[in-house]
Amino acid sequence: MSEELTAREVARLYKDYVNPDLARTMRITGLGVVEDHAQGCYVWDTEGQKYLDMAGGYGVFCLGHSHPHVIAAVEKQLHKMSLSAKVFFTAQQAKLAKKLAEITPGDLKYTFFCNSGTEAVEGALKIARLTTERITYVAMQNAFHGKSTGSLAVSGRPNYRTPFEPLMPEVRHIPFGDVSALEEAVDETVAAVLVEPIQGEGGIHVAPDGYLQKMREICDKHGALLVADEVQTGFGRTGKMFAVNHWDVAPDILIVAKALSGGILPIGAFIGTQRVWSAFKGRPTIHTSTFGGSPLACTAGLAALEVYEQENLCQKSAESGAYFKAELQKLAGEYPDLIAEVRGLGLLLGMEAVKEEYAGSIISEMSHRHIIAVYTLNQPKVIRFEPALNISREDIDSCLKALSESLAKTREMFKGRM
Ligand SMILES: *Cc1c(COP(=O)(O)O)cnc(C)c1O
């Protein structure tokens, strides 16, 4: 397409050719502008307006947008070979798999590459069955593992699940953080227990201390696999490379995606132990992906991992997150009528509003002030903050200022109606 479209024309094409209801929702929530380019913590629309991105693609943009180191590596690889011919080895895949074995906890060693979070979850579910020769899964209420049918079966929100039932059977959903429910649910028929160490879309709920250690013990006792979904929490988001590191727990399978390629290309992967990979013995092509592990995506992954180290992003995330969280808690203290709680670790922070409509109003006021903030998919009462890990103090402060104004405006608006 040669000519530039106006924002109105793009909205119209969405209405006519993409998804009419989505187009309407976007317009109502004030997100009906058209993105044009992005750098670091900022996104610009086609009208030249600048936005501070505090949503960070829900965990994709740990490095911020368009990180120059990753772009340079990808640009170079693009002209050599971008997708694999699928009949030879690729050096980039080999190197990235080795690197992931080095930075992941415990005995995690082998990596399967795909293109998204939900695909990685699907693969992990399949391999867990083969390894254990069992068919039952234990998953958490309110979990989010993606929207393909297998992932949906282990996810929590009824809105997304019910229209597709019956889904994969033999899934036991238990409350997150409840040890006795876990003890009751896991037995000799369970292939795997799936957990997000911090529930992202469920509303930024951090695993209680001791919970994951107990889960490790219970899984070991019954020969079940512990599968950690770190699609959103991985790569420094929570102040450590992986969220499980906060509790020194090593899963049997670790699932990653969003931030692995530094926000430049789609990628997904799951990393497993020797025991888990016995599933591939004698049948190395039992699970495959056409695009997964391409030279281009793996080049992005390798370059991104260099940036995580060079820019010390885990530490930055921990430090900025501690400051940001304390400031959010101060604001919550000033607005107990609007805000119930602030939760999270590192730069995965959530602010739970007392009512869903308050969250909606705060988010919309923020967007008028050109701050991108969003709610969590399974819990619309919770406003989440997941900016780039290298966000400056200045940018955090301008978000806080806009938030403070948005809280005041929201209180004013609902006055007498509370
Ligand atoms: C986003 C997300 C997924 C799904 O990833 P997609 O790439 O959207 O399929 C799975 N698990 C968690 C924890 C996520 O946050």
Side-chain angles (χ1 to χ4, degrees):
M1 221 178 326
S2 55
E3 86 275 30
E4 297 262 343
L5 297 176
T6 64
R8 189 185 283 269
E9 285 165 340
V10 172
R12 181 69 204 227
L13 292 181
Y14 262 72
K15 180 169 159 285
D16 291 346
Y17 298 105
V18 181
N19 186 333
D21 250 53
L22 179 70
R24 194 171 48 84
T25 312
M26 300 270 279
R27 186 161 47 77
I28 293 168
T29 52
L31 294 171
V33 304
V34 180
E35 60 190 10
D36 182 68
H37 63 285
Q39 186 67 55
C41 288
Y42 296 100
V43 178
W44 283 263
D45 71 12
T46 46
E47 317 274 301
Q49 301 281 331
K50 181 181 176 188
Y51 300 81
L52 175 60
D53 185 5
M54 297 302 290
Y58 321 130
V60 171
F61 298 107
C62 281
L63 305 187
H65 292 272
S66 316
H67 196 288
H69 182 71
V70 183
I71 290 192
V74 166
E75 240 165 15
K76 202 165 144 214
Q77 182 60 37
L78 181 63
H79 298 287
K80 285 178 73 182
M81 188 166 197
S82 89
L83 295 177
S84 166
K86 299 308 285 183
V87 289
F88 304 123
F89 292 133
T90 82
Q92 294 81 4
Q93 181 172 167
K95 283 198 278 187
L96 184 55
K98 175 167 185 277
K99 189 75 202 166
L100 286 169
E102 284 165 9
I103 64 170
T104 49
D107 300 327
L108 292 169
K109 181 169 182 211
Y110 299 100
T111 299
F112 179 90
F113 290 101
C114 51
N115 313 283
S116 67
T118 200
E119 265 180 87
V121 171
E122 296 287 338
L125 290 172
K126 284 178 68 185
I127 298 307
R129 279 176 71 153
L130 287 184
T131 306
T132 58
E133 298 180 315
R134 301 174 181 182
I135 61 167
T136 308
Y137 302 101
V138 171
M140 303 299 145
Q141 289 169 6
N142 219 12
F144 186 87
H145 296 294
K147 287 183 183 163
S148 52
T149 50
S151 304
L152 205 49
V154 288
S155 291
R157 191 179 184 188
N159 277 14
Y160 293 141
R161 296 170 46 93
T162 315
F164 303 100
E165 286 172 347
L167 287 158
M168 183 174 66
E170 314 299 341
V171 182
R172 298 172 186 164
H173 294 272
I174 60 169
F176 178 64
D178 181 337
V179 173
S180 35
L182 191 61
E183 271 164 342
E184 211 166 296
V186 183
D187 56 29
E188 265 62 37
T189 69
V190 171
V193 178
L194 270 91
V195 69
E196 299 159 83
I198 300 178
Q199 286 194 325
E201 302 306 329
I204 321 293
H205 291 282
V206 182
D209 282 337
Y211 181 60
L212 293 177
Q213 290 96 320
K214 200 74 200 170
M215 184 179 286
R216 183 67 274 176
E217 271 175 50
I218 294 169
C219 284
D220 287 341
K221 186 169 146 207
H222 297 283
L225 302 178
L226 200 175
V227 180
D229 180 346
E230 295 239 21
V231 170
Q232 188 153 167
T233 50
F235 305 103
R237 174 52 56 196
T238 69
K240 298 208 185 261
M241 190 48 110
F242 297 101
V244 289
N245 298 141
H246 287 286
W247 299 279
D248 277 327
V249 167
D252 300 289
I253 300 179
L254 184 80
I255 302 170
V256 293
K258 291 188 170 108
L260 170 55
S261 67
I264 301 297
L265 285 164
I267 193 167
F270 62 97
I271 305 121
T273 60
Q274 185 109 36
R275 173 187 170 211
V276 171
W277 246 247
S278 67
F280 286 104
K281 203 160 176 225
R283 47 191 173 189
T285 55
I286 190 82
H287 190 67
T288 55
S289 162
T290 297
F291 291 137
S294 71
L296 201 62
C298 291
T299 295
L302 284 163
L305 289 173
E306 283 166 10
V307 178
Y308 286 109
E309 276 170 29
Q310 284 162 10
E311 297 189 13
N312 216 355
L313 289 183
C314 292
Q315 199 188 329
K316 279 203 182 121
S317 166
E319 286 167 7
S320 298
Y323 168 76
F324 194 13
K325 188 178 178 185
E327 294 297 313
L328 288 174
Q329 274 163 338
K330 277 187 212 161
L331 277 176
E334 290 170 33
Y335 290 89
D337 47 330
L338 298 180
I339 302 302
E341 200 183 15
V342 172
R343 298 186 290 264
L345 276 177
L347 282 170
L348 181 59
L349 297 173
M351 190 174 218
E352 179 164 339
V354 173
K355 289 187 186 166
E356 198 177 311
E357 50 189 333
Y358 301 163
S361 158
I362 295 162
I363 287 171
S364 141
E365 286 298 327
M366 302 268 291
S367 90
H368 290 146
R369 288 164 179 77
H370 286 195
I371 310 280
I372 304 172
V374 285
Y375 61 80
T376 54
L377 266 187
N378 288 357
Q379 186 42 272
K381 262 204 268 191
V382 179
I383 305 165
R384 64 159 106 208
F385 299 101
E386 300 188 39
L389 307 185
N390 51 15
I391 187 172
S392 67
R393 194 54 65 90
E394 249 171 20
D395 283 337
I396 293 179
D397 287 340
S398 53
C399 169
L400 287 163
K401 180 167 172 286
L403 179 59
S404 166
E405 291 167 9
S406 302
L407 285 162
K409 197 81 192 278
T410 299
R411 180 183 272 169
E412 184 66 31
M413 235 159 60
F414 285 91
K415 210 181 197 167
R417 288 202 274 144
M418 291 203 171

